[in-house]
Amino acid sequence: MDKIDRHYAIFAIGPVQSFIAASRKLEDLWGGSYLLSYLIRHSLASITHICHERQMNYQIIYPHYTPEELAQPEGPSLAVANYPNRITFTLEASEESVNKLMKQLEAGVRNELVRISNWAVQEVFDDQTAEAQRRVARLKAQAAQQVEQFLEVNWIAYRCPQKEDWNRQEAERLFHALKGQRPMHYVPEQGIACTVYQRMDALCYELPVSTDRYGNMKKKLQDTWGKRNAKYKPKDLEDKDRARIRDNEFLCAISLVRRVARDFFRQEFDCDPHLFAKYESVVNIGTDEDGYYAVLLMDGDNMGHFFNGRENEVRNTSQQLSRFASQSVPAIVQEHRGVLLYAGGDDVLALFPVEEVLSAAYSLRVAFGEAESGLKGATASTGIAIGHKRTPLQQMLNEARELEKAAKLYTSSKFGDPVKNAFALSVLPRSGEYLGPAVLPWETEGIMLTKELTHVVELLSHVISTSFIYEFASTFQALVGSKTDFEPEYLEEMVLLECFRLIDRSVYDKSLRQELRQNLIHVPVLYRQLRLKGFIDLLKIMAFFNRKEKSSATIDINAG
Amino acid sequence: MRLLTLTPADSFFFKGHMMSEMGLPSQWSGLFPPRPNTVYGALRSAYIHRFSTFEQFRKGSDSQIKAWMGTPTRMGAFRQQAVLIRQNNELLLPVPMDYRIMRTTLEDGQEMLVADALTLKENNSLSNVSAGYTLTRGDQARRQGKDVDHSGHFVTLGQWQQAVFHHKQMQDIVSLSQIVDDYMKTGIKIDAATSRAEDSHFFQMKMLTMRQDCELVSLVPDDGPDFSEVPLVSLGAENRPWYLQQTEMEWSLWSSNQMQQLEQSLYDTSIARVILLTPLVLPEDCPLTDRDVPADWMWELINGVQVQLVTWVTGRPELYGGWDIVANRPKPRTMMLPAGTVFYVKVRQPDIPALLQAASGFTLFAGETEGRDHEGFGFAVIAGTQ
């Protein structure tokens, strides 16, 4: 009989960035995140199934989901990508059995993606005619080759003679090392690149030949994509921009499966069709009148600390993160009328109406660090990019990513605050002026800064005219230096004096001046965090937020 | 070796393979440094423009042009070894991937990038990688810190030599943001009838500007064509002008003392490191592209020198392609191994003298990659192991 050993296994799929980042539309973005999440869930189900069938002892360490949750996905969170891109688990079996299982998992995940790509091609190009059958067969073959080439699957099964934690750390170390030994492909692509994901050829049922010039190649593509089904074409000329696949979009297999993922999963889960409808377009975020929306990207800080403990501690961490991702995050996002694209472990990607984003960001941060809803004592950094609904989605994502990085670099040794644990905010107005980034801690000197910002925005809405901001900016813009650390001490007093003088002049109801001073008592704290340039930018950002607030009812000046 | 120094006269943009279709809102970030073939093509065109005409080049009627620059369908003798970046008159080399780059916090709270050498270790685990060895963090590299991608990270030639030779930590890592600045260029299409911006005809591209004291350099052999009378080169998208200057330089990576130590190390360990300084497009049917590289495969590294692959470390493959002006169509695109890729190879003792000859630089798969070796792809150096 083969020797039974304990193995620590890691199974991961990717590439995450390429799968998600190259997105032209909201449904591309959602489709990429959801596909990865779905494939991991599929692999988790396979582990459970194979281990039961072969009577192998196993224990899933990360992510933590019960077999029931895996078997019966349902409810509003069904459409949310909330599985991370890797699984860690232990296995007690012979080396041969473990090897077989891991290879089976790899083959399973690859086959599943090919199945989805086959469905996508059939869905978009099939019209039951004999010609369509031939066309679809050719496209399926090209698509299968592309998804096989694209999907990265990395796994390791590390034999642990004893149940000791160093084995786990050693396995993690080895896994990271082996990721550097990527396969070295030679897969030449001969045609015109996909409009969305430039690394691969757009699907085309006629292969390019060596004598083809660009015009011929383009015509072949137009012929192919001109035969897509009516559902994916513009309904009329006026509607050409709203087509699921535009007339001049030519997609590779990866872009295609992301684009039609909503349709696939709607059919796969046989669920309420409206469940996936909110991923159609960013236009659906907030009200129809809203021209702007916010992209929020949150990431836990120093998560390595939480995964360095003993195995049961790691499993607890995993359980808490899973609960945060599957329960707390969807509830908070829904409460703030947002669209949740991804919530896996400590990562969150969601879109919000502008007026909701600060409050949502703070709620997510608080929930993340609390024992009941997340991981006790954990902190997180968040990037919040606000832009027009016509701003290219990729630009918004890049901006949110940069802001999250900026928040991660936050440090305030002056106040003894911890590194990271902050949020960064910027606005990309249509005018082209870039406002930000304003990087602030969630709390400082006992003040909740998101709440403080919301409060100032409310005051700007009904109590103070925003004109003071532009006067203030024009007065001090010339003093903005490139090195904020070297701003003279006296500048703060000067800036704040002038700021309050201008505010006094801008109050609609002069009798409220004294009371207003009390309401703006924390403004100096904001200045000290941001220094002059950041402070001016922040005021402009708040003036921008104010435009969103104008429609709300009159507020009480003392409202916190 | 000759050094062709290229300094941009204005902002610039290397488009990569992005399709720019009117009617699609697009945002492009381009790439930097440019692919060696882009620089090669620009130098070739500038030389033809200075000394002849493109018509003669097409016909192949100018013998000197034909000899150096070839014809539209055939390459000439002009050869570029590598395209590198120079800052403050010192060459920058990519951080080798057998180093782990991480962002670490110093005692005074300052953050900095450091790179620690990885250690060769036997791989006894079951995994998707068949190689018998791998490169892991040694004790020295177990420090806490956030891993940073190798792409866009360089060190000066002096520090590179010292660190790689002695397996020491690299500090003062230069990031791309210290070499180029960027700004967003925005374009729209105006409807002639309404004078309003047309929907979906909006594009943004990230234009780059070279920081002061930074420049692109092309390393070319001494016996190549003389570029001293070529003042300008059109390089990158929109054919923007770059100033060109030719100088002579000594290219010797290792000192004589280091060469002796390297020789000793190769005799002691029989393991050499082959480090790519420019990207490499692998030839078709190369066993390196097999899912499992055959364990008994003998790799002819340079003429007559056969080695056995022990392990490798590389980054996510980059896209290689371009536009075929002659055929008026995109060139076939394929993947290339990024600069900084490292191969660990087992060498035979009789081959060591020949290997040492190539230690300061040679081209991998010379003559096997359809002229890409002429363009400066696959420029590699040899280092020892501990």
Side-chain angles (χ1 to χ4, degrees):
Chain A
M1 192 178 158
D2 290 339
K3 191 182 165 206
I4 304 290
D5 277 317
R6 189 169 186 270
H7 292 82
Y8 183 90
I10 304 170
F11 181 84
I13 57 172
V16 180
Q17 282 298 321
S18 313
F19 229 125
I20 297 170
S23 302
R24 173 154 284 139
K25 300 172 72 157
L26 180 59
E27 59 182 350
D28 298 343
L29 179 61
W30 173 84
S33 315
Y34 197 78
L35 270 166
L36 275 184
S37 173
Y38 170 80
L39 292 174
I40 282 292
R41 207 185 76 196
H42 179 269
S43 304
L44 275 168
S46 300
I47 294 170
T48 310
H49 175 74
I50 298 169
C51 288
H52 278 154
E53 198 178 72
R54 297 194 196 146
Q55 297 182 328
M56 289 159 79
N57 278 336
Y58 76 102
Q59 186 124 39
I60 305 283
I61 298 172
Y62 180 77
H64 184 276
Y65 283 91
T66 62
E68 293 74 36
E69 285 169 321
L70 285 172
Q72 292 176 314
E74 56 184 14
S77 64
L78 171 64
V80 177
N82 53 17
Y83 287 81
N85 74 321
R86 60 175 263 170
I87 308 167
T88 50
F89 57 108
T90 56
L91 273 168
E92 281 173 32
S94 69
E95 196 166 288
E96 193 188 337
S97 305
V98 171
N99 196 22
K100 202 171 159 191
L101 178 134
M102 298 305 285
K103 285 186 171 166
Q104 219 171 328
L105 281 183
E106 177 173 350
V109 86
R110 289 187 184 281
N111 291 340
E112 188 62 7
L113 192 54
V114 170
R115 181 176 79 90
I116 298 172
S117 84
N118 280 343
W119 184 93
V121 170
Q122 189 94 23
E123 160 78 3
V124 175
F125 292 100
D126 190 28
D127 61 9
Q128 302 296 323
T129 61
E131 192 217 332
Q133 301 297 314
R134 280 195 296 276
R135 187 170 64 234
V136 164
R138 157 78 192 106
L139 293 175
K140 275 183 184 174
Q142 189 186 2
Q145 196 182 19
Q146 287 187 341
V147 295
E148 165 66 23
Q149 181 202 336
F150 176 80
L151 190 67
E152 285 177 13
V153 182
N154 292 299
W155 58 264
I156 186 172
Y158 185 81
R159 193 161 55 84
C160 309
Q162 287 119 30
K163 193 174 177 176
E164 285 176 8
D165 287 321
W166 66 266
N167 285 322
R168 190 177 62 77
Q169 284 162 9
E170 192 61 26
E172 293 282 353
R173 220 149 61 94
L174 208 50
F175 178 70
H176 279 288
L178 291 169
K179 276 166 78 175
Q181 284 163 290
R182 292 189 166 85
M184 295 173 269
H185 294 298
Y186 181 92
V187 188
E189 299 269 333
Q190 309 282 346
I192 293 177
C194 165
T195 323
V196 180
Y197 183 64
Q198 313 281 340
R199 289 202 164 201
M200 289 183 168
D201 276 356
L203 296 177
C204 184
Y205 67 82
E206 249 191 283
L207 282 173
V209 292
S210 59
T211 51
D212 273 346
R213 295 172 84 81
Y214 179 69
N216 305 0
M217 293 166 83
K218 182 103 185 268
K219 189 174 175 309
K220 286 178 181 177
L221 272 183
Q222 281 166 336
D223 286 350
T224 302
W225 289 87
K227 290 186 172 68
R228 68 194 188 279
N229 286 329
K231 180 180 170 186
Y232 297 94
K233 288 181 176 171
K235 289 187 182 68
D236 50 55
L237 276 177
E238 292 300 306
D239 200 40
K240 62 183 167 56
D241 286 349
R242 293 185 197 279
R244 288 288 298 280
I245 300 171
R246 294 185 195 196
D247 282 342
N248 45 11
E249 274 187 312
F250 311 122
L251 306 177
C252 67
I254 300 303
S255 301
L256 183 70
V257 291
R258 294 192 318 170
R259 185 64 61 86
V260 302
R262 280 195 293 132
D263 308 73
F264 173 79
F265 289 111
R266 196 179 280 150
Q267 183 177 308
E268 184 80 356
F269 296 130
D270 191 19
C271 61
D272 178 358
H274 297 295
L275 194 59
F276 294 97
K278 62 181 170 181
Y279 302 102
E280 278 173 14
S281 164
V282 293
V283 175
N284 302 336
I285 296 161
T287 62
D288 289 346
E289 293 77 39
D290 284 348
Y292 286 81
Y293 73 110
V295 176
L296 177 149
L297 201 57
M298 185 186 108
D299 184 44
D301 299 329
N302 308 319
M303 293 308 292
H305 293 316
F306 292 94
F307 285 95
N308 277 343
R310 305 188 73 83
E311 200 172 294
N312 58 343
E313 289 165 4
V314 172
R315 202 172 290 122
N316 278 343
T317 299
S318 165
Q319 199 169 352
Q320 286 162 334
L321 283 178
S322 296
R323 187 184 51 207
F324 173 72
S326 62
Q327 295 170 20
S328 311
V329 179
I332 292 169
V333 174
Q334 194 178 14
E335 187 190 333
H336 291 87
R337 299 187 292 127
V339 173
L340 180 56
L341 290 165
Y342 179 75
D346 60 318
D347 290 327
V348 177
L349 172 61
L351 313 180
F352 289 96
V354 175
E355 60 273 25
E356 296 279 353
V357 71
L358 285 177
S359 156
Y362 187 68
S363 300
L364 286 168
R365 163 64 190 86
V366 170
F368 185 62
E370 282 181 352
E372 304 76 42
S373 50
L375 196 56
K376 192 182 174 192
T379 66
S381 298
T382 299
I384 302 168
I386 296 168
H388 195 270
K389 286 178 177 174
R390 283 182 179 273
T391 307
L393 182 62
Q394 229 169 330
Q395 187 181 357
M396 292 289 286
L397 289 173
N398 289 341
E399 180 64 18
R401 209 166 284 123
E402 289 304 315
L403 289 168
E404 189 223 278
K405 276 189 209 162
K408 288 268 182 209
L409 293 175
Y410 173 77
T411 177
S412 178
S413 50
K414 192 174 171 185
F415 300 108
D417 288 346
V419 181
K420 305 180 184 177
N421 194 22
F423 66 100
L425 184 67
S426 79
V427 177
L428 293 90
R430 271 214 115 184
S431 62
E433 185 189 16
Y434 174 81
L435 303 176
V439 185
L440 290 163
W442 298 103
E443 282 183 42
T444 186
E445 301 179 39
I447 304 157
M448 229 186 280
L449 290 187
T450 47
K451 205 169 175 184
E452 189 59 30
L453 295 186
T454 311
H455 183 51
V456 175
V457 171
E458 285 169 352
L459 293 174
L460 284 170
S461 175
H462 299 284
V463 183
I464 323 164
S465 162
T466 51
S467 61
F468 96 86
I469 292 174
Y470 302 104
E471 271 189 64
F472 174 80
S474 66
T475 308
F476 285 99
Q477 200 73 53
L479 291 181
V480 171
S482 57
K483 292 183 178 173
T484 51
D485 291 349
F486 295 105
E487 278 180 14
E489 289 291 322
Y490 61 80
L491 194 63
E492 178 179 338
E493 195 181 345
M494 205 166 91
V495 166
L496 291 173
L497 265 174
E498 181 63 3
C499 182
F500 283 113
R501 189 184 74 80
L502 291 170
I503 288 174
D504 274 354
R505 282 178 47 186
S506 309
V507 180
Y508 295 129
D509 180 350
K510 306 296 178 198
S511 68
L512 291 175
R513 276 181 182 165
Q514 201 53 41
E515 213 172 336
L516 185 65
R517 282 279 178 146
Q518 287 303 312
N519 274 279
L520 293 172
I521 198 163
H522 299 314
V523 166
V525 177
L526 293 172
Y527 176 83
R528 284 198 289 273
Q529 287 291 332
L530 296 165
R531 313 309 297 173
L532 184 56
K533 182 189 178 302
F535 186 63
I536 292 174
D537 273 356
L538 184 72
L539 288 176
K540 287 184 179 175
I541 290 172
M542 287 194 280
F544 172 84
F545 268 90
N546 163 58
R547 282 186 244 154
K548 309 266 100 200
E549 292 285 313
K550 280 286 184 199
S551 56
S552 61
T554 310
I555 55 153
D556 176 1
I557 190 171
N558 289 313
Chain B
M1 199 81 85
R2 278 186 195 150
L3 211 61
L4 303 180
T5 307
L6 293 151
T7 320
D10 197 351
S11 56
F12 55 90
F13 180 68
F14 294 103
K15 198 173 155 196
H17 302 275
M18 290 158 292
M19 233 177 58
S20 42
E21 278 291 332
M22 287 304 280
L24 288 175
S26 301
Q27 197 200 19
W28 305 313
S29 54
L31 51 87
F32 188 85
R35 306 282 186 240
N37 59 320
T38 308
V39 178
Y40 180 88
L43 288 170
R44 191 186 193 198
S45 298
Y47 187 88
I48 296 166
H49 179 68
R50 172 67 185 82
F51 294 109
S52 182
T53 64
F54 286 100
E55 196 181 345
Q56 284 184 313
F57 166 68
R58 270 194 292 275
K59 288 178 185 163
S61 55
D62 182 323
S63 58
Q64 193 196 338
I65 292 291
K66 191 177 174 184
W68 283 127
M69 301 299 162
T71 63
T73 53
R74 193 180 60 80
M75 290 192 127
F78 170 47
R79 186 185 179 91
Q80 177 178 256
Q81 292 288 163
V83 174
L84 301 171
I85 300 167
R86 199 162 64 161
Q87 188 182 46
N88 294 322
N89 289 321
E90 192 161 14
L91 286 174
L92 298 178
L93 301 186
V95 177
M97 291 185 189
D98 59 351
Y99 273 73
R100 175 198 177 209
I101 309 179
M102 64 194 153
R103 193 181 300 282
T104 190
T105 310
L106 302 177
E107 282 175 8
D108 61 0
Q110 287 269 334
E111 290 223 342
M112 71 176 288
L113 293 176
V114 295
D116 283 322
L118 299 175
T119 313
L120 193 63
K121 193 182 170 184
E122 213 172 337
N123 171 30
N124 293 319
S125 295
L126 298 171
S127 75
N128 61 307
V129 178
S130 61
Y133 286 83
T134 189
L135 289 152
T136 65
R137 298 171 202 174
D139 290 337
Q140 194 189 20
R142 283 190 189 202
R143 78 178 81 236
Q144 290 295 321
K146 190 96 174 166
D147 282 14
V148 175
D149 192 55
H150 276 75
S151 168
H153 289 106
F154 308 86
V155 285
T156 57
L157 175 63
Q159 193 180 156
W160 193 98
Q161 287 165 324
Q162 285 302 310
V164 169
F165 197 83
H166 298 290
H167 295 257
K168 287 200 312 203
Q169 189 183 69
M170 290 179 182
Q171 295 178 343
D172 304 319
I173 292 171
V174 181
S175 299
L176 211 48
S177 58
Q178 293 165 273
I179 299 165
V180 287
D181 287 318
D182 60 56
Y183 72 93
M184 202 61 95
K185 178 180 171 180
T186 299
I188 51 171
K189 186 184 173 195
I190 300 291
D191 185 313
T194 62
S195 295
R196 294 181 61 176
E198 275 194 35
D199 280 349
S200 307
H201 284 69
F202 172 87
F203 71 88
Q204 286 188 314
M205 59 169 78
K206 208 178 252 186
M207 301 297 292
L208 302 175
T209 52
M210 191 79 89
R211 288 225 173 169
Q212 212 176 4
D213 298 326
C214 291
E215 52 223 354
L216 268 183
V217 289
S218 160
L219 261 59
V220 295
D222 286 327
D223 55 359
D226 183 5
F227 279 85
S228 59
E229 288 179 35
V230 182
L232 287 171
V233 172
S234 298
L235 181 57
E238 299 172 348
N239 288 321
R240 295 192 165 213
W242 292 58
Y243 301 112
L244 176 66
Q245 204 181 12
Q246 177 177 288
T247 48
E248 303 292 323
M249 82 165 279
E250 274 290 313
W251 170 263
S252 175
L253 192 67
W254 307 120
S255 66
S256 55
N257 189 26
Q258 284 173 326
M259 283 296 278
Q260 281 172 11
Q261 289 181 51
L262 175 60
E263 184 178 10
Q264 193 56 52
S265 139
L266 293 179
Y267 278 116
D268 290 347
T269 64
S270 297
I271 305 282
R273 282 190 283 170
V274 180
I275 307 173
L276 276 174
L277 299 187
T278 63
L280 167 69
V281 184
L282 291 167
E284 204 174 344
D285 300 327
C286 170
L288 281 172
T289 60
D290 290 356
R291 190 176 276 262
D292 289 327
V293 181
D296 57 350
W297 173 54
M298 294 305 289
W299 178 7
E300 188 164 344
L301 211 56
I302 37 180
N303 277 343
V305 175
Q306 291 200 326
V307 296
Q308 214 171 345
L309 186 65
V310 174
T311 192
W312 70 94
V313 55
T314 185
R316 189 149 280 138
E318 292 170 3
L319 197 60
Y320 166 79
W323 186 262
D324 187 333
I325 298 171
V326 180
N328 187 29
R329 58 179 279 171
K331 284 181 183 171
R333 299 181 312 285
T334 187
M335 296 298 166
M336 57 187 191
L337 303 183
T341 295
V342 186
F343 299 100
Y344 279 61
V345 294
K346 193 166 184 183
V347 297
R348 298 180 302 194
Q349 300 234 334
D351 288 335
I352 290 175
L355 204 61
L356 289 168
Q357 295 275 317
S360 280
F362 69 106
T363 301
L364 277 172
F365 298 105
E368 295 177 51
T369 56
E370 298 166 352
R372 288 174 197 130
D373 45 339
H374 263 58
E375 296 172 332
F377 286 96
F379 186 62
V381 296
I382 305 277
T385 58
Q386 276 190 326

